């Protein structure tokens, strides 16, 4: 159809977003067209803007609109702590807790022999530089508890041994978690790391 | 945070789309930024375009980029049949089957005393006009099998009585449907409308 070519194209494009399929993309597009002034136009403008301004922080790999992200730019965050995460989404998750007052380093993935991803592809050299230049005292390895994640953590630990204190996130029962639904590994980890009340 | 203000705004806006929440909106935005040339920029451009060009067909209420949609514009579709649907999404669903060769009329909702939605709010007068002007022989009421939908169907049927043939979609067991999972109403309807093999 000619008069709906743009619509079809928009729906097709929306359907490529994670979490959206053809059906939900159609729903979303119709919803946006109904709320043109409130949703469609501002959303389009914001996307245009972000497409131009979004960039990775040259220091830590966080995504923002400046060459050096606010966290790296802020002197307050220079407390000798670096939290190493796989992905920007992990960084944002940490930030939402507002518990961590140090800086971050986003690897951008995990080591993987299969996908030929080595230290150079992962901003690991940059991390080693930063440990020197920002005289870091502790590196928190907040990598996912997957095989690749832990392999990467071990590699980094080897590189930084006896240069800084290395820590990792505690493992155990998640808040609100029910033992019955937890895997054996998590339960044993929580049991080994049990603490006195 | 200053350097992520645009990102936050974009995520917030995306989270307003049906089917997306804060978490999936974050995932979608990160995905778009990673695929900037392939996804973010073209998506923004398409949205800009649709925001400007999208409009309702003055004749049937279908959404397109022209004052009269392709279906109403095409003489091939003028076969004396009009299929009345609640919503544009329903029209698109019908079109995907490519079974119906007539034209459509989108009511834009259903009669509802509570929400003070009467015939005037629903493009029903326009439907009555079209039955005359496009000398329609049959009106297919393809409204949802909800209470409001059926109320609306009855109202339209009253208006058009003895002026055209009125039909509605057959009710029965959906293709691939399992009796065990169907409601009693559907099963009885299918039983009453049983046909000889």
């Amino acid at each position: 159809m000619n008069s709906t070519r743009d619509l079809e194209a928009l729906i097709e494009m929306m359907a490529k977003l994670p979490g959206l399929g053809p059906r939900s993309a159609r729903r979303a597009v119709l919803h946006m067209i109904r709320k043109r002034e409130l949703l469609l136009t501002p959303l389009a403008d914001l996307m245009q803007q972000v497409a131009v301004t979004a960039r990775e922080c040259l220091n830590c790999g966080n995504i923002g609109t400046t060459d050096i992200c606010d966290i790296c730019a802020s002197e307050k965050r220079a407390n000798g702590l670096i939290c190493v995460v796989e992905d920007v989404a992990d960084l944002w998750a940490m930030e939402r807790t507002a518990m961590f007052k140090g800086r971050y380093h986003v690897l951008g993935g995990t080591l993987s022999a299969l996908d030929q991803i080595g230290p150079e592809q992962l901003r690991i050299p940059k991390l080693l530089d930063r440990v020197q230049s920002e005289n870091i005292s502790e590196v928190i390895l907040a990598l996912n508890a997957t095989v690749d994640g832990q392999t990467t953590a071990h590699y980094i630990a080897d590189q930084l041994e006896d240069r800084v204190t290395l820590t990792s996130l505690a493992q155990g029962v998640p808040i609100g978690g029910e033992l019955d639904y937890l895997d054996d590994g998590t339960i044993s980890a929580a049991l080994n790391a049990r603490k006195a009340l």
Side-chain angles (χ1 to χ4, degrees), chain A:
Chain A
M1 287 165 79
N2 162 27
S3 82
T4 59
R5 213 197 304 93
D6 295 352
L7 285 177
E8 309 278 354
L10 177 55
I11 291 167
E12 211 172 285
M13 194 66 80
M14 289 284 292
K16 289 182 184 161
L17 294 179
L20 284 178
R23 185 171 298 269
S24 42
R26 273 193 299 273
R27 266 184 66 219
V29 167
L30 278 175
H31 183 78
M32 285 194 293
I33 290 174
R34 292 209 187 84
K35 296 197 180 302
R36 197 181 304 225
E37 276 64 32
L38 278 170
L39 199 51
L40 184 51
T41 315
L43 195 51
D45 297 345
L46 272 170
M47 282 185 175
Q48 296 276 25
Q49 208 164 328
V50 168
V52 177
T53 57
R55 68 199 64 192
E56 284 184 343
C57 170
L58 299 174
N59 195 40
C60 73
N62 183 16
I63 287 181
T65 54
T66 49
D67 284 339
I68 299 296
C69 72
D70 295 348
I71 299 176
C72 291
S74 139
E75 272 313 311
K76 288 204 201 76
R77 308 290 298 247
N79 60 359
L81 290 183
I82 279 191
C83 177
V84 179
V85 292
E86 276 178 34
D87 192 89
V88 175
D90 303 331
L91 187 159
W92 290 359
M94 294 282 291
E95 274 300 286
R96 281 199 297 281
T97 69
M99 283 291 294
F100 181 65
K101 299 272 172 280
R103 287 177 174 166
Y104 296 92
H105 194 75
V106 181
L107 294 179
T110 51
L111 294 172
S112 161
L114 277 176
D115 311 337
Q116 297 183 325
I117 295 180
E120 284 63 30
Q121 284 75 46
L122 285 188
R123 234 184 256 112
I124 286 180
K126 176 70 178 169
L127 173 61
L128 305 181
D129 299 347
R130 288 185 65 190
V131 168
Q132 299 289 10
S133 56
E134 303 181 22
N135 50 57
I136 299 303
S137 59
E138 179 180 351
V139 170
I140 303 166
L141 297 172
L143 302 175
N144 295 334
T146 59
V147 174
D148 282 355
Q150 292 311 301
T151 318
T152 313
H154 282 119
Y155 176 85
I156 295 174
D158 290 342
Q159 302 295 309
L160 292 174
E161 237 177 357
D162 10 284
R163 287 170 58 185
V164 287
T165 319
L166 288 158
T167 57
S168 72
L169 296 179
Q171 294 192 304
V173 182
I175 307 301
E178 296 176 49
L179 289 186
D180 192 15
Y181 292 98
L182 284 176
D183 60 296
D184 309 354
T186 304
I187 294 179
S188 2
L191 192 60
N192 294 332
R194 68 186 177 281
K195 51 189 182 190
L197 292 175

